[in-house]
Amino acid sequence: MSKGRVTVIDIAHAAGVSKSTVSLVLQGSPLVNEATRAKVNAVIRELGYVYNRGAANLRQAKSKIVGIVVNDLTNSFLAELAVGVDMVVQSAGYVQFLSNTGESIDRQREVVASMREHGISGLIVSPARGTDAADFKPLTNAGIPVMIVVRNIPGAKVSSLVSDNFAGASAAVEHLAGLGHRRIAFMGGFANTAVFAERLGGYRDALAKAGIAFDDELVVATAPSRAGGVEAVGRAMLLAHKPTAALCFNDAVAFGVCDGLRARRLEPGVDFAVVGFDDVIEAESAVPALTTISVDPQGMGRRAAQLLLKQINSGKVEAEAIVSAVRLVVRQSSGTALDATARRAVS
Amino acid sequence: MSKGRVTVIDIAHAAGVSKSTVSLVLQGSPLVNEATRAKVNAVIRELGYVYNRGAANLRQAKSKIVGIVVNDLTNSFLAELAVGVDMVVQSAGYVQFLSNTGESIDRQREVVASMREHGISGLIVSPARGTDAADFKPLTNAGIPVMIVVRNIPGAKVSSLVSDNFAGASAAVEHLAGLGHRRIAFMGGFANTAVFAERLGGYRDALAKAGIAFDDELVVATAPSRAGGVEAVGRAMLLAHKPTAALCFNDAVAFGVCDGLRARRLEPGVDFAVVGFDDVIEAESAVPALTTISVDPQGMGRRAAQLLLKQINSGKVEAEAIVSAVRLVVRQSSGTALDATARRAVS
DNA sequence: ACGATTATTTGGAACGTTCCAAACGTTGTC
DNA sequence: GACAACGTTTGGAACGTTCCAAATAATCGT
């Protein structure tokens, strides 16, 4: 009774049954008689019993816990993704460890190890920059499914879910070219990342398809942040032959670009077309509303979680790499078609 | 060996010692001889042993897990706070369950219950709107410290850490009044929340101190979001006697207000002064840089976690309510002092 | 060489659950 | 009345660790 925790034995005692029976009730087994089930449940409520999942996990090796580690939770794209994961994880009766690595490989290794000791039965990770393909080997060897999201790690033999960066960038450029732009910049992002390379690839491909020559002056790499956007537009405007439009590495950069344009008395969507990437929530309500590539991070999170849970339940560890479709959302920041004079002045 | 998991017994067997000794090594006890410690550690590494915290927790009731539940993780203020918590929790060797409630009281109850079953030894919660003071009673009764952050719940007998909303709002208004503004609006936020009431209180107090009459036309409540800010400025500009400055409920609202001003061809920081609240990261790099009340959410998160860990370790459950100091950060969006003509035109 | 310390090591017995095989109590069938 | 068949219940024996009390080994002073 007052000797600490209320246990299944206390319940059994108070209800006049055995601990085994109580256990059966707890797991909703159909074997147990309705009357005793009711009795047991009543006692459970009365004594304020709380189930000890730790003890249960010790016996049966299926833990109802997943881990999720992200490289930067303050990035609203990733926060959104985490929320998506949370939704399905929660409704499946699971609970999640969540940790932030802040791009630190060491922290990442630590938290993954710690989560493993705590018995996670699956892991979703948006890896820190520089994560090695072999880093998740121990997990998968132990039969714990791992799902890499957002950033791909070439050579890693785990499942992955990334957005279609190539197609997205390509669609954006096609849109801008269709409006009459010829000098289209690519702004923001660190050049040595896989995501950057994919988006740049789409940009170049669409440029070629539109018959526009690639000019590497027009790709200006900066930090993938709002401040980076401001910097990028500053650098681009120093060029002799200035751009009239920009595809930005992500929405944060795009907002920074808008800020920078305004600081130069140029109105985004009127004097200069800007397109973002990600479609974060603020993109819609910003002024001007941001034309961007919708990636639906929350949806990605949900999908990743569903896939992970599927793998956990089926006990299969075979990796599948899936790319999530994206779509262009045209809003105001890309403006309307350039008129004849503007087009002539530009080209 | 191949019979599944490597356990402490396997290690003991392979190292030629008893399981007790291995256990001692695991917890870094000074009792064990250096030579055998080295031997055991070698075997541990060799066999790829992973510690089973679940089993350990079963024996000793101190779990190294804390829970954190927030009402809206997509709010960058809360994401930032979560990161702060994560930092100290992580370095203390703990790991955290994190869940998002999306303002749903039901979800909140569910996740808290679930976390409890998983044996958290402490909880940090930014409660969903409408959380009852009694909701955390079971936790505290069980000796599990609970710390409420950001939103206060009157009457709850648990620790809390909220920012000094009154003083912050007051400082902002004082600043605006000092610049010569007499028509200062209060924009955004839901009127039926404690935080709103506190900030509005500070606003009114400073107004009185500056000898400015309170005009309830000038408090325009909207959703505490960017879109809400746009709406607020729209409504305020319909007034016969328009404001020349605004204290916004939070930074998101402030950004919306800037958007709305621009849509009306007014430049924030030049034609109209705007002050935010929270000092989210974007506040500094936005254009114009936002004058705001710095709350340092990450610092709050760190502090909350430290307090919680202290309570966990000392085993004391007595509640302490602390308010975190805030400071005014003057940037460009509040502009410079109104000149004589402008002041005359306004008053 | 012998107790007395001190430094190490070690068998159980927990912790709270689940699972298995076996037992129990009915009822129905021949 | 014995047997089978069912529906329901139940004692252990796990799971992987920590803790305690006690055993053993090493060191020392005399």
Side-chain angles (χ1 to χ4, degrees):
Chain A
M1 288 294 153
S2 67
K3 56 184 317 194
R5 230 184 200 304
V6 178
T7 157
V8 86
I9 293 202
D10 299 328
I11 303 291
H13 204 252
V17 296
S18 79
K19 56 191 154 56
S20 304
T21 306
V22 177
S23 175
L24 292 210
V25 171
L26 252 22
Q27 12 195 183
S29 161
L31 294 184
V32 48
N33 182 299
E34 269 318 317
T36 63
R37 178 197 306 284
K39 171 76 180 163
V40 168
N41 277 327
V43 175
I44 282 180
R45 220 156 310 144
E46 181 188 348
L47 296 196
Y49 167 75
V50 339
Y51 187 71
N52 183 336
R53 252 166 232 281
N57 289 342
L58 191 52
R59 195 59 174 74
Q60 36 145 48
K62 34 149 186 173
S63 86
K64 295 283 195 187
I65 305 178
V66 301
I68 144 164
V69 355
V70 299
N71 55 292
D72 180 13
L73 191 61
T74 66
N75 177 330
S76 68
F77 181 86
L78 289 174
E80 203 83 31
L81 187 133
V83 168
V85 171
D86 187 81
M87 290 175 77
V88 354
V89 156
Q90 223 175 94
S91 353
Y94 278 65
V95 70
Q96 64 188 340
F97 285 125
L98 186 145
S99 279
N100 185 250
T101 61
E103 299 291 4
S104 158
I105 293 252
D106 290 336
R107 284 220 115 138
Q108 179 170 286
R109 191 172 27 242
E110 279 169 22
V111 303
V112 169
S114 175
M115 285 177 177
R116 181 134 119 93
E117 294 185 347
H118 279 98
I120 55 172
S121 45
L123 177 71
I124 294 178
V125 50
S126 164
R129 231 191 308 284
T131 299
D132 189 6
D135 277 0
F136 303 110
K137 208 71 192 305
L139 278 285
T140 51
N141 281 349
I144 299 175
V146 174
M147 168 138 259
I148 290 184
V149 292
V150 184
R151 294 173 171 176
N152 213 341
I153 294 192
K157 290 284 289 171
V158 303
S159 300
S160 65
L161 171 56
V162 299
S163 46
D164 197 340
N165 293 304
F166 188 96
S170 178
V173 170
E174 188 185 346
H175 167 63
L176 290 171
L179 293 176
H181 292 279
R182 314 298 293 173
R183 295 288 290 171
I184 302 172
F186 184 94
M187 293 185 177
F190 289 128
N192 58 345
T193 67
V195 175
F196 185 92
E198 290 165 20
R199 292 184 186 174
L200 187 63
Y203 163 85
R204 294 188 67 153
D205 189 65
L207 238 36
K209 287 218 177 79
I212 302 175
F214 171 74
D215 179 354
D216 67 3
E217 272 192 341
L218 287 179
V219 356
V220 11
T222 65
S225 61
R226 192 157 184 147
V230 175
E231 182 194 341
V233 74
R235 277 168 40 198
M237 287 314 184
L238 294 177
L239 296 175
H241 203 175
K242 300 178 176 49
T244 64
L247 164 60
C248 301
F249 179 73
N250 64 18
D251 285 350
V253 169
F255 288 132
V257 167
C258 289
D259 292 341
L261 288 170
R262 287 210 181 93
R264 290 176 173 67
R265 297 283 156 198
L266 291 173
E267 187 59 22
V270 179
D271 309 310
F272 193 101
V274 6
V275 177
F277 209 114
D278 285 352
D279 197 20
V280 299
I281 6 177
E282 302 93 27
E284 189 172 4
S285 60
V287 174
L290 194 64
T291 293
T292 188
I293 303 297
S294 177
V295 169
D296 185 18
Q298 198 164 307
M300 263 181 85
R302 281 197 299 267
R303 190 137 171 235
Q306 277 153 359
L307 253 51
L308 186 75
L309 291 181
K310 201 189 69 188
Q311 293 194 354
I312 290 175
N313 292 330
S314 69
K316 76 170 182 184
V317 207
E318 51 182 280
E320 52 182 323
I322 80 185
V323 324
S324 169
V326 300
R327 66 176 221 282
L328 174 71
V329 178
V330 177
R331 299 205 183 93
Q332 300 154 19
S333 71
S334 56
T336 52
L338 290 183
D339 59 30
T341 50
R343 195 171 314 172
R344 196 160 334 113
V346 158
S347 54
Chain B
M1 289 296 151
S2 67
K3 57 185 314 195
R5 225 183 205 305
V6 178
T7 157
V8 85
I9 293 203
D10 299 327
I11 303 291
H13 204 252
V17 295
S18 79
K19 56 189 155 57
S20 304
T21 306
V22 177
S23 175
L24 288 237
V25 171
L26 251 23
Q27 13 196 184
S29 161
L31 294 184
V32 47
N33 182 297
E34 269 317 316
T36 64
R37 177 199 306 284
K39 171 75 179 164
V40 168
N41 277 328
V43 175
I44 282 180
R45 221 157 308 144
E46 182 189 349
L47 295 197
Y49 166 76
V50 338
Y51 186 72
N52 184 335
R53 252 165 231 280
N57 289 342
L58 191 52
R59 196 57 174 77
Q60 36 145 45
K62 33 151 187 172
S63 85
K64 294 284 194 187
I65 305 178
V66 302
I68 145 164
V69 354
V70 298
N71 54 293
D72 180 13
L73 192 61
T74 65
N75 177 330
S76 66
F77 181 86
L78 289 174
E80 203 83 30
L81 187 133
V83 168
V85 171
D86 185 83
M87 290 175 78
V88 355
V89 155
Q90 223 174 93
S91 347
Y94 278 66
V95 69
Q96 64 187 338
F97 286 125
L98 187 146
S99 279
N100 186 251
T101 61
E103 300 290 4
S104 158
I105 291 254
D106 290 336
R107 283 221 116 137
Q108 180 170 285
R109 192 172 28 242
E110 279 169 22
V111 303
V112 169
S114 175
M115 285 178 178
R116 177 141 189 248
E117 293 185 349
H118 279 97
I120 54 172
S121 45
L123 177 70
I124 293 178
V125 49
S126 164
R129 231 191 307 283
T131 299
D132 189 6
D135 277 0
F136 302 110
K137 208 68 192 307
L139 278 284
T140 51
N141 281 349
I144 299 174
V146 173
M147 167 140 261
I148 291 184
V149 291
V150 184
R151 295 173 171 176
N152 213 340
I153 295 189
K157 288 284 290 171
V158 302
S159 300
S160 65
L161 171 56
V162 300
S163 45
D164 196 341
N165 294 305
F166 188 96
S170 178
V173 170
E174 188 184 347
H175 167 63
L176 290 170
L179 293 175
H181 292 280
R182 312 299 293 173
R183 295 288 291 171
I184 303 172
F186 184 94
M187 294 185 177
F190 289 129
N192 59 345
T193 66
V195 176
F196 185 93
E198 290 164 21
R199 293 184 183 174
L200 187 63
Y203 163 85
R204 294 189 67 154
D205 188 64
L207 237 38
K209 287 218 177 78
I212 303 174
F214 172 76
D215 179 354
D216 67 1
E217 271 191 342
L218 287 179
V219 356
V220 11
T222 66
S225 62
R226 192 155 185 147
V230 175
E231 182 194 340
V233 75
R235 274 164 45 195
M237 287 314 183
L238 295 178
L239 295 176
H241 202 175
K242 299 178 175 52
T244 64
L247 164 60
C248 302
F249 179 74
N250 64 20
D251 286 349
V253 169
F255 289 133
V257 167
C258 289
D259 292 341
L261 288 170
R262 286 210 181 92
R264 289 176 175 68
R265 296 285 157 197
L266 291 174
E267 187 59 23
V270 179
D271 309 310
F272 192 100
V274 4
V275 178
F277 209 115
D278 284 354
D279 197 21
V280 299
I281 5 177
E282 301 92 27
E284 189 172 3
S285 60
V287 175
L290 193 64
T291 293
T292 187
I293 301 298
S294 176
V295 170
D296 185 18
Q298 199 165 305
M300 263 183 84
R302 280 197 299 267
R303 189 137 170 233
Q306 277 153 359
L307 253 51
L308 186 75
L309 291 181
K310 200 188 70 187
Q311 294 194 354
I312 290 175
N313 292 329
S314 69
K316 74 168 185 185
V317 207
E318 50 183 281
E320 53 182 323
I322 81 185
V323 324
S324 169
V326 300
R327 67 176 220 283
L328 174 71
V329 177
V330 178
R331 298 204 183 93
Q332 301 154 19
S333 70
S334 56
T336 51
L338 290 184
D339 60 31
T341 50
R343 196 172 312 170
R344 194 157 339 111
V346 157
S347 53

